[in-house]
Amino acid sequence: MALAEMLAVVPAGSDEEALLRRIDFARLPRHVAIIMDGNGRWAASRHLPRVEGHRAGIEAVRSAVESSARLGIPVLTLYAFSVENWKRPDTEVSALMGLLKHYLRLELKSLLRNNIRFKAIGRLERLSEDIRIELREAEARTAANTGMLFNIALSYGGRAEIVDAARQLIREGIAAEDVDESAFAARLYTADQPDPDLLIRTSGELRVSNFLLWQIAYAEIWVTDALWPDFRTRHLLEAIVDYQRRERRYGAITAATAGVGKA
Ligand code: FPP
């Protein structure tokens, strides 16, 4: 049981425990997507090089993955490297790739122990061969896991993903009248996955930054001022509690708004 499993790892009497007790485990988001932002600012505020912010961000990745799996969230997607990030200085790009490689090697055991299935999404062909080997290895070794699906978005762009889906439809020779939303969604990198119910962004920016553009059509957005390296289980629990307080209407009129003239 997710509550018991989580209570076993949070300190008694902590904020985390109080938040956990407010969560309705029957209404968890099916998919949580996170824009990890603020590593550079975290490092700058400590007079450290940017790469130290990314290094510290790995601890937050570990915490988000383990807590989401323990909570029983079916799908977690982390935005680790965007198509735009290729424009950063070579030294920063190679440091990020080095950290990714290190993370994959070190965390594979933990993914296996926690029954987590791993998947990389994005224009992966732009990544170097050694990284692609590590990614394929992690995907293959976790393919039979039945717990949480952990997507890592790498060399990822929402518009690029939509273009790739359109190209795929054309390649398959699908007739124009057969192209509908489900045919399109089935060609996205996230085919067969539920759309994110909850989109989290750190470091206070109010942007979606080309992340899962198609899939976040109805996602609830939760933004925290915390910088990514400071993101911990408490923030994830706060986001879920807030998500569960909101009324989701998908553009429809509900009992609460009917008769008030709002849609
Ligand atoms: C945003 O901070 C963060 C990234 C571009 C990369 C996210 C990477 C990690 C958390 C570490 C690598 C770990 C894995 C598993 C790949 P920013 O650099 O945009 O920060 P800023 O907006 O403050 O400059």
Side-chain angles (χ1 to χ4, degrees):
M1 153 100 192
L3 176 60
E5 221 179 292
M6 284 299 292
L7 286 173
V9 294
V10 301
S14 61
D15 288 353
E16 286 89 338
E17 184 190 336
L19 287 161
L20 267 174
R21 294 196 184 280
R22 290 170 62 191
I23 289 178
D24 175 356
F25 283 83
R27 286 195 308 121
L28 284 176
R30 284 158 302 170
H31 183 165
V32 174
I34 308 185
I35 301 175
M36 309 184 286
D37 194 17
N39 294 350
R41 275 162 282 174
W42 184 93
S45 71
R46 285 163 178 76
H47 309 288
L48 293 169
R50 291 178 59 81
V51 62
E52 292 308 320
H54 299 315
R55 200 186 303 282
I58 289 193
E59 196 46 49
V61 169
R62 200 171 284 136
S63 158
V65 171
E66 285 199 12
S67 298
S68 302
R70 280 209 180 96
L71 282 165
I73 288 168
V75 185
L76 173 73
T77 302
L78 299 185
Y79 200 5
F81 193 85
S82 71
V83 278
E84 290 78 20
N85 287 156
W86 287 115
K87 295 185 210 131
R88 293 196 177 189
D90 287 351
T91 48
E92 186 173 345
V93 171
S94 49
L96 273 166
M97 292 299 154
L99 287 173
L100 172 64
K101 208 161 147 179
H102 180 72
Y103 171 84
L104 289 171
R105 290 212 175 139
L106 218 67
E107 292 303 306
L108 186 54
K109 273 194 223 86
S110 148
L111 298 179
L112 291 166
R113 202 172 47 242
N114 289 292
N115 194 23
I116 296 169
R117 187 155 57 96
F118 175 82
K119 183 176 165 67
I121 61 169
R123 289 210 167 145
L124 306 179
E125 64 278 8
R126 285 191 70 179
L127 299 169
S128 64
E129 182 58 17
D130 59 328
I131 298 280
R132 280 186 284 150
I133 288 172
E134 297 286 339
L135 292 171
R136 276 199 296 267
E137 162 95 359
E139 287 180 344
R141 298 267 309 271
T142 62
N145 286 350
T146 54
M148 186 178 80
L149 169 60
F150 166 29
N151 294 310
I152 190 156
L154 289 167
S155 186
Y156 176 88
R159 288 183 174 180
E161 179 179 26
I162 290 170
V163 168
D164 287 350
R167 287 181 179 162
Q168 187 57 29
L169 286 162
I170 293 164
R171 255 187 240 116
E172 290 176 36
I174 309 289
E177 52 279 16
D178 293 330
V179 176
D180 57 13
E181 291 186 13
S182 70
F184 211 96
R187 272 104 187 150
L188 295 172
Y189 309 145
T190 54
D192 301 323
Q193 301 181 20
D195 285 340
D197 291 312
L198 174 60
L199 173 67
I200 295 175
R201 180 166 189 147
T202 58
S203 92
E205 309 286 353
L206 303 175
R207 285 192 292 278
V208 293
S209 297
N210 202 14
F211 188 40
L212 301 175
L213 292 182
W214 173 285
Q215 298 90 332
I216 60 167
Y218 293 102
E220 293 292 332
I221 303 179
W222 187 84
V223 176
T224 174
D225 284 335
L227 304 175
W228 178 251
D230 295 325
F231 189 91
R232 288 296 177 273
T233 303
R234 180 172 60 79
H235 301 99
L236 179 67
L237 298 175
E238 279 173 10
I240 295 171
V241 166
D242 199 34
Y243 161 82
Q244 291 189 334
R245 264 207 307 256
R246 300 187 198 174
E247 182 199 6
R248 302 182 77 205
R249 296 207 299 268
Y250 301 97
I253 294 177
T254 64
T257 55
V260 191
K262 277 199 292 178

